[in-house]
Amino acid sequence: MTLPEGTPEKLPGPAAPAERTWEARPDQHPVSPTFDELTRRRAKEVIARYPVARSALLPLLHLVQSVEGYVSQDGIRFCAEQLELTTAEVSAVATFYTMYKRTPCGEHLVSVCTNTLCAALGGDAIYRSLGEALGEPGRPLGHEETAGEPGSPGSITLEHAECLAACDLAPVLQVNYEYYDNQTPESAVALVEALRRGEKPPPTRGAPLTDLRTVELELAGFTDDETVAAAAVAGPSAAPESLRGTALAAERGWAAPALPDEPPALPPLPEK
């Protein structure tokens, strides 16, 4: 706006925010009673692994998710108090990564890859078939929606996954981050029906299937059952499709050239 005499109107700028300082409250427990003494002890163990406490935020969020099945506002406050961060700082991280869920999840998280190659080979059809199988008549289950009571046995949360890094085995899906390769709409529906019955079909690769909260606890760095941990390490980690190039090279005697004794000279930089 310009005043009649031609001088632009000057409006007062916004007041500077008051400076905030963190006040440690070591005797105060988190708001939610969900985070019991065992969870607080585990949180301290996680923080002790890092020279800078705030570096422990990612595993702490997994720890929270192992308790609640998602990251609630109480979980945000719990992490903030443990690490002496603001809730805004914790929320910024929890909302950036899709692996942290902001609504309660089912016993199993089913992630369907719908990125380019998987989609072209049937990923979209798989996602559509699962949505119809898990939803109600006329209303398929949508992204990050749950069939059944969240956390109850047989409940399933369905999600699009942008890329599961398994193009050689497309189309793929994951259950609690374990791989099920070379899927079809029919095999995927049969898989989730088995999960709803309480079964745990073995993944194509990786550790034996458990449930989402157990996996979240493992991602936080804790394994309660050493037998389960040993079985996870012993699980298959590669597929013939992934190793086909290596096999061809061995069959045909191909090898990469040896490194030179001296690295080649770099070209001269252009004059500025």
Side-chain angles (χ1 to χ4, degrees), residues 110 129-136 139-141 147 156-158 192 196:
V110 175
S129 296
L130 290 182
E132 292 170 355
L134 295 169
E136 301 296 332
R139 190 196 179 282
L141 201 69
I156 292 176
T157 298
L158 179 65
V192 299
R196 299 184 86 176

Side-chain angles (χ1 to χ4, degrees), residues 40-118:
R40 290 193 290 274
R41 188 167 69 248
R42 282 174 166 165
K44 288 180 172 53
E45 287 182 38
V46 171
I47 295 168
R49 298 172 192 159
Y50 297 88
V52 179
R54 66 182 300 144
S55 299
L57 179 53
L58 295 185
L60 271 194
L61 287 167
H62 283 299
L63 179 63
V64 163
Q65 201 152 255
S66 76
V67 175
E68 295 190 292
Y70 73 119
V71 178
S72 68
Q73 283 303 112
D74 282 345
I76 295 287
R77 284 191 287 271
F78 175 77
C79 292
E81 291 190 0
Q82 295 296 315
L83 299 173
E84 298 189 1
L85 299 173
T86 66
T87 54
E89 289 174 301
V90 177
S91 296
V93 174
T95 56
F96 179 83
Y97 293 104
T98 57
M99 60 189 175
Y100 302 121
K101 307 304 181 187
R102 299 312 311 276
T103 55
C105 284
E107 180 187 21
H108 300 295
L109 173 66
V110 175
S111 312
V112 182
C113 184
T114 54
N115 209 333
T116 308
L117 188 55
C118 277

Side-chain angles (χ1 to χ4, degrees), residues 218-245:
E218 291 171 354
L219 290 172
F222 299 95
T223 303
D224 291 336
D225 190 331
E226 293 302 323
T227 303
V228 172
V233 173
S237 60
E241 294 90 337
S242 303
L243 302 175
R244 183 60 181 148

Side-chain angles (χ1 to χ4, degrees), residues 4-31:
E5 58 273 21
T7 305
E9 182 181 15
K10 292 184 178 180
L11 299 177
E19 185 177 351
R20 290 184 58 190
T21 56
W22 174 266
E23 295 181 4
R25 295 173 290 177
D27 58 335
Q28 182 178 8
H29 284 173
V31 175

